[in-house]
């Protein structure tokens, strides 16, 4: 709004108004605030007057600055601010500044400041018992407004499509920016921002958000839900430096961002859930707190449930991404990306769950979807896999060499596979896929991380699951330009051939290299990095049954020497 009165200017105006406080009552009917003859005192109210609208319709017109100490609207009264109409109130103690039992329609600007509290309930900036509605372009500015800046009672219906800015709340116990005991709607163009205080938003009844709510720098939880909160598809909730607490029913269809990055002791968790939390939108918890999500019982023993139906991102938690003592469900349409361990409880995955934790997990997993255990930190004894678990590959990846049985695939009844790629930001085909087999091409060979495209058939959810290549030996790529003369410079002899359990090798001209044995269909049967270049003895694995095999000797220049060997068992 172009016409904005600063706090300093407001205080100067208030100071120069009448010094005698009286109760000023509207005489009834419809009229404008600035009409002196419509008021019981015959004068326009001042900043020291208690104003009551008992009957009629009062309009604060464009360009008028209205003043009052308090404003009470009874159940038969209505007040409206036009688009450039302004109400200025401030410097009060232990009072409700605007108390609405009727109807309030706000198109203009309300400014409140320096409302101090000495009692348990103290100052309330706006207390609504009936209908309070703000429209697009309107503003409510509250600076240091006591105990409850906005209180919507159990009979109240508060609809916001304007901007509500609440800053610098008095640092006393239980100061709350927005308190809802009734029905509260933040509309699609509505914006609420709360800075400082104990809690930013507290809801115990019905709160619907279709616009944007932002909470920053609170001493306690930023958003507390003990009723029914719904964040709609168009809704955004941003929380900085503290957490969301849910003990009843919280449903997200839009965007929720919980971001903590300045104070490692600001919160024990990003999201504390002891009720039912359903995520149908996108929930991002990027926190340095102990836990990203703490899914736990409350003081009353209520059993918590967390359900993810869409996208959940858990990043940077200090101890664990999820601390779970009850039910955590990722549905067939759900996608979770978690970068720290999961501790406790039962987790059921029916969708796609990607874990990049480098710490051991400690939870019970029932998996009927696709679980990407990128660094192999699941506990096999507490894992019930009914579909697909993707874990690291033992490398190295070599061009044209197939890798079979690399997926922990119990069933593909609800899963389909796409391309193997490297570099998700600029996907390059890494090789060909056959059922539970991967054959690297020239791009994929030698890489330390490859991705497999996986789709959950029942929901159509598609993501790339990463496989880390655990490579105890140096990666040696075949160099197609290597000449025959270079290949022949290594003299290799093997004996006995055929062999049974032991195979002796003699070679010269080699500084360092890798010995590998492959079956005729390309399966890697044995590999070892040799350090004794005067000769080596290979103990043939029991998995090598009688048959013909190919032994390859590779040096770090990409030069390959091959020998055919035969095993007789």
């Amino acid at each position: 709004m172009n016409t904005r009165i600063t706090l300093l200017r407001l205080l100067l105006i208030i100071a120069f108004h009448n010094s005698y406080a009286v109760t000023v009552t509207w005489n009834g009917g419809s009229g404008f605030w600035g009409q002196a003859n419509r008021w019981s005192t015959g004068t326009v109210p001042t900043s020291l007057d208690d104003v009551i609208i008992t009957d009629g319709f009062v309009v604060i017109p464009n360009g008028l600055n209205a003043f009052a100490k308090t404003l009470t609207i009874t159940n038969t009264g209505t007040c409206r601010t036009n688009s450039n109409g302004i109400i200025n109130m401030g410097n009060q103690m232990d009072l409700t500044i605007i108390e609405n039992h009727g109807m309030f329609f706000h198109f203009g600007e309300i400014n409140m400041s320096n409302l101090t509290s000495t009692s348990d309930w103290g100052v309330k900036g706006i207390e609504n018992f009936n209908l309070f509605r703000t429209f697009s372009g309107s503003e409510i500015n509250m600076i240091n407004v006591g105990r409850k800046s906005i209180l919507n009672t159990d009979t109240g219906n508060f609809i916001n499509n304007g901007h509500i800015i609440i800053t610098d709340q008095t640092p006393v116990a239980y100061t709350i920016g927005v308190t809802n005991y009734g029905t509260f709607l933040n509309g699609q163009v509505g914006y609420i921002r709360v800075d400082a205080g104990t809690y930013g938003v507290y809801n115990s009844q019905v709160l619907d958000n279709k616009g944007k709510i932002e909470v920053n720098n609170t001493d306690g939880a930023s958003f507390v839900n003990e009723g029914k909160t719904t964040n709609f598809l168009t809704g955004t909730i941003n929380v900085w430096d503290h957490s969301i607490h849910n003990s009843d029913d919280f449903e997200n269809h839009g965007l929720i961002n919980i971001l903590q990055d300045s104070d490692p002791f600001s919160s024990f968790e990003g999201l504390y859930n002891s009720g039912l939390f359903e995520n149908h939108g996108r929930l991002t918890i990027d926190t340095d707190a102990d836990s990203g999500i703490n899914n736990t019982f409350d003081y009353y023993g209520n059993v918590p449930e967390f359900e993810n139906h869409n996208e959940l991102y858990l990043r940077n938690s200090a101890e664990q991404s999820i601390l779970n003592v009850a039910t955590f469900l990722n549905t067939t349409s759900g996608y979770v990306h978690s970068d720290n361990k999961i501790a406790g409880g039962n987790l059921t995955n029916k969708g796609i769950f990607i874990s990049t934790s480098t710490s051991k997990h400690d939870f019970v997993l029932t998996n009927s979807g696709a679980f990407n255990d990128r660094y192999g930190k699941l506990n096999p004894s507490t894992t019930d896999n009914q579909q697909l678990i993707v874990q690291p590959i033992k490398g190295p990846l070599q061009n044209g060499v197939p890798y079979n049985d690399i997926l922990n695939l119990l069933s593909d009844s609800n899963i389909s596979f796409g391309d193997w790629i490297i570099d998700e930001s600029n996907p390059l085909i890494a090789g060909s896929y056959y059922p539970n087999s991967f054959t690297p091409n020239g791009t994929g060979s030698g890489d330390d991380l490859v991705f497999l495209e996986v789709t959950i058939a029942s929901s159509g959810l598609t993501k790339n699951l990463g496989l880390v290549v655990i490579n105890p030996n140096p990666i040696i790529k075949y160099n197609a330009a290597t000449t025959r003369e270079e290949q022949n410079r290594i003299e290799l002899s093997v004996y006995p051939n055929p062999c049974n359990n032991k195979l002796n090798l003699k070679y010269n001209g080699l500084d360092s290299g890798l010995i590998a044995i492959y079956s005729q269909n390309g399966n890697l049967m044995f590999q070892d990095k040799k350090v004794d270049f005067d000769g080596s003895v290979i103990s043939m694995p029991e998995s090598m049954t009688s048959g013909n095999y190919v032994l390859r000797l590779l040096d770090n220049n990409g030069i390959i020497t091959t020998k055919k060997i035969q095993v007789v068992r």
Side-chain angles (χ1 to χ4, degrees), residues 312-357:
L312 171 61
Y313 299 89
L314 301 167
R315 302 177 180 133
N316 297 324
S317 54
E319 296 292 334
Q320 57 265 321
S321 291
I322 301 171
L323 178 61
N324 180 40
V325 300
T327 302
F328 194 107
L329 170 64
N330 187 44
T331 66
T332 57
S333 59
Y335 169 63
V336 180
H337 193 290
S338 168
D339 70 359
N340 207 338
K341 69 179 181 181
I342 302 166
N346 298 291
L347 189 150
T348 300
N349 176 54
K350 298 181 178 181
I352 294 179
F353 196 116
I354 295 178
S355 171
T356 58
S357 173

Side-chain angles (χ1 to χ4, degrees), residues 18 34 50 96 109 185 217 334 378 415 467:
N18 296 347
D50 294 313
T96 297
E109 185 173 339
L185 168 63
N217 293 326
L378 284 175
I415 289 180
L467 289 81

Side-chain angles (χ1 to χ4, degrees), residues 36-56:
N37 63 341
R38 306 303 299 270
W39 297 102
S40 60
T41 58
T43 59
V44 177
T46 73
S47 60
L48 298 177
D49 295 331
D50 294 313
V51 178
I52 302 175
I53 302 174
T54 58
D55 189 19

Side-chain angles (χ1 to χ4, degrees), residues 242-273:
H242 230 288
S243 57
I244 291 178
H245 281 207
N246 173 55
S247 60
D248 200 332
D249 190 350
F250 201 120
E251 198 169 313
N252 174 47
H253 295 265
L255 299 176
I256 297 179
N257 300 300
I258 303 173
L259 309 172
Q260 302 172 3
D261 58 6
S262 62
D263 181 3
F265 303 104
S266 60
S267 178
F268 293 111
E269 60 271 315
L271 170 63
Y272 176 93
N273 179 53

